[in-house]
Amino acid sequence: MYMQIRHLLFDMDNTLYPASSAMDRGISERMSRFVADFIGVPLEEGSRLRRAGLESCGTTLGWLCRDYGLTDTEAFFAAVHPASEIAELDFDPELRPFLESLDMPMTVLTNAPYVHAERVLRFFNILDLFTGVHTIESNSLCGKPYAQAYYTAVRSAGYTIEDTAFFDDHLKYIDGYVQLGGVGVWVRPDSGSEIPEHAKAYPHLPSIYQIPQVLGPHLVKNNIKRP
């Protein structure tokens, strides 16, 4: 049974738009290329090291800073998120009307840099719908799943972990939020993949368009519980 929800906190990439977008593949490929070039290894080895590093660190950037002494974060952002990346997205004309129909305060929390977040949200014409956009810079380069990233995002909007539902496509980020006492909703379009035992209790959605079916009775507008 979920608590009453007064605020929605969204991851952006692969959550507000589908993971099937070409941008998901593009970002991953550009990150792996940067890793390979920075460390000085073949691309395949760079990809392998990156996957291994992400098991113990929240982000590729954090892993490179911690284990390989990366200091030029702007070079990383520029390589991974060039202006041309926007061509990898397909516009969804239904996204803005759907988010508006939720009639709830909404905030974005992403581990991407602000230049990327603003570019994507403007592309979908939804930037103005969010009370705040919290990026990796907002959290001193320590984003999800660090607790402070979640607290900063919800508190700046005037809400709490307890009355905010968080949506993300990465299970480890949902885990981090749930451990703080919040409702984490896993956006996972691949319904055929195996679910870890602990995550079976989490609400799952193939896309955010199913939010009303999952949380509808628990969303609160104007302090009145929805029927």
Side-chain angles (χ1 to χ4, degrees), residues 48-118:
R48 186 194 68 79
L49 290 172
R50 176 173 171 256
R51 289 193 299 271
L54 284 174
E55 293 181 6
S56 62
C57 200
T59 64
T60 298
L61 176 60
W63 164 67
L64 284 174
C65 292
R66 183 192 68 186
D67 291 4
Y68 290 92
L70 174 67
T71 57
D72 190 353
T73 56
E74 291 305 316
F76 176 83
F77 294 149
V80 174
H81 299 293
S84 59
E85 69 175 353
I86 206 67
E88 297 167 347
L89 286 175
D90 294 318
F91 184 72
D92 179 2
E94 301 301 320
L95 182 57
R96 183 182 179 94
F98 170 72
L99 292 174
E100 289 179 319
S101 75
L102 295 175
D103 196 18
M104 295 283 291
M106 299 179 293
T107 301
V108 167
L109 175 61
T110 173
N111 279 352
Y114 186 79
V115 64
H116 171 69
E118 181 182 32

Side-chain angles (χ1 to χ4, degrees), residues 19-187:
S20 58
S21 164
M23 184 171 281
D24 179 50
R25 182 175 64 256
I27 290 174
S28 181
E29 290 176 351
R30 288 188 290 273
M31 282 190 178
S32 293
R33 170 56 64 189
F34 184 92
V35 167
D37 291 345
F38 183 75
I39 298 176
V41 298
L43 179 58
E44 184 175 346
E45 177 66 2
S47 298
R48 186 194 68 79
L49 290 172
R50 176 173 171 256
R51 289 193 299 271
L54 284 174
E55 293 181 6
S56 62
C57 200
T59 64
T60 298
L61 176 60
W63 164 67
L64 284 174
C65 292
R66 183 192 68 186
D67 291 4
Y68 290 92
L70 174 67
T71 57
D72 190 353
T73 56
E74 291 305 316
F76 176 83
F77 294 149
V80 174
H81 299 293
S84 59
E85 69 175 353
I86 206 67
E88 297 167 347
L89 286 175
D90 294 318
F91 184 72
D92 179 2
E94 301 301 320
L95 182 57
R96 183 182 179 94
F98 170 72
L99 292 174
E100 289 179 319
S101 75
L102 295 175
D103 196 18
M104 295 283 291
M106 299 179 293
T107 301
V108 167
L109 175 61
T110 173
N111 279 352
Y114 186 79
V115 64
H116 171 69
E118 181 182 32
R119 183 179 292 143
V120 170
L121 296 175
R122 286 193 184 281
F123 174 82
F124 286 113
N125 189 31
I126 56 175
L127 178 61
D128 62 303
L129 298 184
F130 298 97
T131 61
V133 178
H134 295 267
T135 66
I136 196 69
E137 297 103 329
S138 307
N139 296 292
S140 301
L141 303 184
C142 293
K144 302 170 293 185
Y146 294 100
Q148 192 57 44
Y150 305 110
Y151 282 124
T152 297
V154 300
R155 288 172 178 170
S156 67
Y159 295 91
T160 67
I161 294 290
E162 290 76 19
D163 62 14
T164 298
F166 172 57
F167 302 82
D168 202 298
D169 64 301
H170 283 289
L171 179 57
K172 66 180 178 181
Y173 299 152
I174 294 295
D175 286 340
Y177 193 75
V178 171
Q179 288 167 10
L180 298 178
V183 173
V185 183
W186 191 10
V187 181

